Amino acid sequence: MNGSADDEAAAREFLSTLAVGDICSGTVSDFTRRHEVSVILDGFPARALGRVFSSDRSWGRSSAVAPPEAGQRITAEVIDIDLDACRARLAMTATENPELWAFLKGRRRGETLTGTIASIEQFGVFVALDEGPDHPVFPGVGFISYAELSWAHFDTATDVVQVGRHVACEFLQFDTWNGEARLSLKAMQPDPLMAFAEATAVGQGLRGRVTRLVPFGIFVEVGHGIEGLVHQREAPDGAPPHSPDGPVQVGDEVNVVVSDIDQPRRRVALSWPRAASGRP
């Protein structure tokens, strides 16, 4: 029992000498059931204290990227230290692409990065940054998710950006899984909901355009970048709002009343004018 406690104390003492950001070396000992790599760190040969998650082995993550083998020497960066679990999380990606890792690690949330739209995919938009190294796998180091493209509703990404367009974006975070700079294009513009909330009162009547029909209600655009929801319970005669026999169709101009503005959850609730009956 004392021997085990002494081993744990020695392991914690060794890990306490490490810091996040340190580059360390070691030898691969084995693999866990989750395909994580266990590493015996130089300076503590008693047991494996290093752990490389599968997401931290390579940004390539393809069949062409072979996992390290038992007995192989590796160099990696310490990205987390868990003294309770006696484990240091390591990233081989930091030493696989040191220039790109250093560039992304040096970015700060809120700073502006510029670049050119390199590719538009179903899952987001890649940006080739003006500064920094290229990505070893993707068409651009910068990446904008669809949710960060625009405050306003859009049908396709090409409604907002086009390949070849030069953009300025706000840096959100370093995505260590993909080796990307997560960016926001909409953050470079004022949030229209703030201005809408200041200028609009609950109970106020507005004129808007129906943009979407969904099973739970009807979305109405009541300002640039502002969509509100008329809930299904507001539908006259109980007709499903997304059916051909529903009260309105996409593109219709309708009168609505503001029921609630929830800024933290970014939701605007609407209702039909109480005096109205049938189709708005």
Side-chain angles (χ1 to χ4, degrees), residues 154-170:
F154 58 89
D155 294 321
T156 64
T158 52
D159 293 339
V160 184
V161 293
Q162 297 79 39
V163 172
R165 173 185 166 186
H166 195 261
V167 294
C169 301
E170 181 177 303

Side-chain angles (χ1 to χ4, degrees), residues 196 200-206 222 228-231 233-234 256-262 267-274:
F196 179 82
T200 308
V202 171
Q204 182 174 335
L206 298 173
V222 290
L229 173 68
V230 181
H231 197 273
R233 59 177 172 267
E234 294 281 337
V256 292
V257 174
V258 177
S259 301
D260 183 56
I261 302 174
D262 187 339
R267 294 179 180 176
V268 176
L270 304 172
S271 61
W272 302 132
R274 294 305 176 192

Side-chain angles (χ1 to χ4, degrees), residues 115-255:
T116 302
I117 303 298
S119 178
I120 298 176
E121 308 292 343
Q122 292 184 344
F123 48 85
V125 176
F126 286 104
V127 181
L129 299 179
D130 293 335
E131 298 181 359
D134 294 333
H135 199 284
V137 180
F138 304 132
V141 170
F143 182 80
I144 311 172
S145 68
Y146 274 35
E148 295 296 333
L149 279 176
S150 175
W151 295 110
H153 170 73
F154 58 89
D155 294 321
T156 64
T158 52
D159 293 339
V160 184
V161 293
Q162 297 79 39
V163 172
R165 173 185 166 186
H166 195 261
V167 294
C169 301
E170 181 177 303
F171 176 75
L172 300 179
Q173 69 180 62
F174 171 13
D175 179 354
T176 58
W177 174 279
N178 293 306
E180 297 171 341
R182 286 298 183 105
L183 306 175
S184 174
L185 183 61
K186 73 179 186 182
M188 304 301 291
Q189 302 294 328
D191 182 351
L193 184 59
M194 295 181 63
F196 179 82
E198 291 178 358
T200 308
V202 171
Q204 182 174 335
L206 298 173
R207 185 77 174 168
R209 182 180 64 87
V210 175
T211 56
R212 288 182 287 163
L213 305 179
V214 294
F216 52 85
I218 298 166
F219 282 97
V220 180
E221 184 179 37
V222 290
H224 180 68
I226 303 296
E227 276 190 325
L229 173 68
V230 181
H231 197 273
Q232 180 183 5
R233 59 177 172 267
E234 294 281 337
D237 304 323
H242 62 296
S243 73
D245 298 326
V248 294
Q249 301 300 318
V250 171
D252 285 356
E253 294 287 332
V254 295
N255 294 316

